[in-house]
Amino acid sequence: VIAPTVAEALTEIDEAVAGGADIVELRVDFIPTLDADGKDLTAMLERCPVPCIVTYRPTWEGGQYAGEEEPRLAALWKAVELGAAYVDCELLAAERFFAAAPPGIKDASATKIILSSHDYDAVPSYDELAEIRARCVAAGADVVKIAAMVKDIVDVTRLQTLLEDAAGSRQDTIVLGMGEAGQVSRLLAAKFGSFLTFGALRAGAESAPGQPTLRQLRDLYRVPTQTRATKVMGVIGNPIAQSKSPALHNPSLAAAGVDACYVPLLVNDIEAFLKSATFGGDDYVGFSVTIPHKEAALRCCDEVDPVAAEIGAVNTLVKRPDGTFKGYNTDYVAAIDAIEAAMNAKRGTASGEVLRGKTVVVVGAGGAGRGLAFGAKFKGADVIVANRSLDRAQALATACGGVAVTLEALASGAVKGDVLANTTSVGMTPKVDETPTPKSAIAAGGFDVVFDAVYNPLETKLLRDAKEVGCELASGLDMFVGQAALQFELFTG
């Protein structure tokens, strides 16, 4: 709860409890008018039917309070006196905090003291993390909280190892990776063994970078039902925040009764990620792979499906019992199915080899472009590859027996075909006014079907333009759902 007034905080407390929070953290440093006699704290604590954490974070530890220490520490002890379930104090202030305690209050109270440490620059080394935890324990923590900014997802390994080593100790431990790359530590907090994780009431109301919402934690990632036995799968990409895969896979896992969680994974180096200890355990069963890692993922496989090997890109990694990966490409099947369905709709037919002898123009020569180009080839179509780099287009065209052209040639209207298929990210949110091919070129090319692999937004500028010139549309959503369904089967059986 980060409301700027007590009245708004009371409303947010109600909202948090109604949303299913097990504990409510009152970030009173966000309330500049907090009184000194405890009336405000009393009102908030009495309003909340679940345990509360009272946190009064100073600016020097990333909070909002910029005043003197004495009234801040006194307010925390007032919260103890009022029966708050938890009070959070910074490790750097622990000595002053305990020295400021009214006589006998600590022994007479059931309040647990969280001592916290925040590093907003990086994840410390494992030895430094272990030392921080030991200092918290020695200083008198009932619960240890360590939060660190994750610049690379492989650094989450150190945070998870700390939790594993702290398991079974008298003091519970909270570990949080801040930032988008560290979000997996929040989404899998229960599985990793963290004492709790924090959720914002809504998007835009985060109290720390990378914090998911309460609704996401409870409903989408099902944190309350996670255990150490919960299996993990996820989507590897960069960027990844826009991915809808978790919103598709997690409800499917729940509906199928599978004890697993599917998480977004912001990855810089896929090979380093897959070798990292956190993601090398038996609990990780497979990964979806998206831009820009589909070709690099191929090199991470000990075995590759023959079709995926010919395409030269994988979008699915399935972990085998020996810890190695087998790679698949479900993109091309789903994309071709969507295009064939649109072609049949255009012709008024139900099925048939509608692509044989047709010309498919593929925009883009990356992993998705390779999949679609080879998929069209497998169906007997002639392939034209248009790409910003002609050399890259030529390499793909040579591999699949097609022809290479520049994007400028396509934009001029000189390239003719039956199907135009965009496999690039052009037109994706937030750049929704961009298009890989102008409307004039779609009309001049004589295309019957236009396909766009982008599904966010659902109707891109390319598809709007294609509709206006009379083309049948094949949606990236159809491809997205189709490839995910195939992945789901590979992951779960």
Side-chain angles (χ1 to χ4, degrees):
V1 169
I2 59 170
T5 68
V6 174
E8 291 173 273
L10 296 177
T11 299
E12 288 198 354
I13 289 169
D14 294 342
E15 188 179 343
V17 173
D22 302 302
I23 297 173
V24 171
E25 183 187 37
L26 304 176
R27 283 293 300 270
V28 298
D29 52 298
F30 280 82
I31 304 176
T33 59
L34 189 77
D35 64 13
D37 59 12
K39 288 182 182 178
D40 291 341
L41 281 171
T42 300
M44 289 183 282
L45 290 170
E46 288 182 349
R47 182 66 160 257
C48 192
V50 300
C52 284
I53 302 170
V54 175
T55 302
Y56 206 172
R57 190 79 71 219
T59 53
W60 50 261
E61 186 91 357
Q64 303 293 308
Y65 178 76
E68 297 296 323
E69 280 292 271
E70 185 178 349
R72 184 179 79 88
L73 299 179
L76 291 176
W77 282 113
K78 188 66 177 179
V80 174
E81 180 186 324
L82 293 171
Y86 305 90
V87 164
D88 183 321
C89 178
E90 303 70 33
L91 171 62
L92 294 177
E95 185 175 349
R96 286 170 291 172
F97 170 71
F98 285 114
I105 189 172
K106 181 70 169 71
D107 294 334
S109 171
T111 300
K112 291 190 175 182
I113 305 301
I114 301 172
L115 290 185
S116 57
S117 173
H118 299 77
D119 190 323
Y120 289 93
D121 294 321
V123 178
S125 69
Y126 177 78
D127 288 344
E128 290 172 309
L129 289 170
E131 181 188 2
I132 291 168
R133 187 180 184 281
R135 285 169 54 202
C136 288
V137 171
D142 298 305
V143 180
V144 176
K145 175 187 172 185
I146 297 176
M149 181 63 70
V150 177
K151 301 288 183 63
D152 192 304
I153 197 168
V154 298
D155 296 340
V156 173
T157 301
R158 299 198 288 277
L159 298 174
Q160 185 191 3
T161 302
L162 183 73
L163 278 176
E164 291 172 348
D165 291 347
S169 62
R170 188 174 67 82
Q171 290 80 11
D172 288 310
T173 303
I174 303 164
V175 165
L176 299 168
M178 295 186 287
E180 188 182 356
Q183 193 179 64
V184 62
S185 69
R186 299 174 180 272
L187 303 180
L188 297 176
K191 176 179 174 52
F192 282 175
S194 188
F195 178 57
L196 57 78
T197 191
F198 296 86
L201 282 176
R202 67 194 72 85
E206 299 85 0
S207 61
Q211 194 177 79
T213 66
L214 171 60
R215 184 174 181 179
Q216 287 174 325
L217 289 170
R218 290 198 69 91
D219 299 342
L220 185 59
Y221 297 101
R222 295 178 290 148
V223 170
T225 64
Q226 288 177 16
T227 68
R228 291 188 182 274
T230 298
K231 300 297 184 183
V232 180
M233 51 197 74
V235 54
I236 295 170
N238 189 356
I240 203 61
Q242 82 292 340
S243 175
K244 304 299 182 189
S245 292
L248 186 61
H249 280 274
N250 281 312
S252 301
L253 290 166
V258 178
D259 182 15
C261 186
Y262 184 104
V263 293
L265 301 161
L266 180 65
V267 172
N268 298 323
D269 182 332
I270 188 171
E271 293 180 71
F273 165 76
L274 292 173
K275 290 176 182 176
S276 67
T278 299
F279 304 99
D282 294 337
D283 293 338
Y284 292 81
V285 298
F287 302 99
S288 309
V289 183
T290 188
I291 296 171
H293 297 303
K294 293 183 181 183
E295 292 172 79
L298 188 72
R299 300 191 294 270
C300 301
C301 301
D302 283 72
E303 183 182 352
V304 181
D305 177 75
V307 175
E310 186 171 358
I311 291 170
V314 302
N315 76 321
T316 310
L317 296 171
V318 177
K319 197 162 195 179
R320 302 190 295 186
D322 64 357
T324 61
F325 289 97
K326 181 173 182 179
Y328 299 84
N329 192 308
T330 66
D331 279 337
Y332 87 93
V333 179
I336 293 299
D337 284 350
I339 289 170
E340 287 184 326
M343 186 71 83
N344 279 314
K346 183 74 173 178
R347 292 176 146 210
T349 56
S351 61
E353 295 186 345
V354 290
L355 289 181
R356 183 166 299 280
K358 302 298 182 183
T359 298
V360 176
V361 179
V362 178
V363 183
R370 291 187 67 86
L372 210 146
F374 275 95
K377 171 196 169 186
F378 296 151
K379 291 291 186 173
D382 298 319
V383 178
I384 298 175
V385 181
N387 193 60
R388 183 172 53 197
S389 163
L390 184 59
D391 289 346
R392 203 163 159 80
Q394 188 62 62
L396 175 53
T398 299
C400 67
V403 176
V405 299
T406 63
L407 288 179
E408 290 76 15
L410 177 61
S412 73
V415 179
K416 314 294 181 183
D418 301 286
V419 177
L420 175 67
N422 174 46
T423 68
T424 74
S425 60
V426 176
M428 181 186 291
T429 299
K431 298 180 180 180
V432 295
D433 293 325
E434 295 183 1
T435 178
T437 309
K439 186 195 296 188
S440 58
I442 300 173
F447 298 103
D448 291 325
V449 171
V450 173
F451 166 84
D452 198 340
V454 173
Y455 61 86
N456 185 17
L458 289 177
E459 186 175 74
T460 60
K461 178 170 172 51
L462 176 67
L463 293 182
R464 288 198 306 273
D465 289 345
K467 184 193 297 184
E468 290 176 10
V469 300
C471 300
E472 194 71 31
L473 307 183
S475 165
L477 182 63
D478 296 329
M479 172 188 170
F480 170 62
V481 174
Q483 62 81 27
L486 293 168
Q487 287 181 339
F488 190 86
E489 187 173 352
L490 290 168
F491 293 153
T492 67

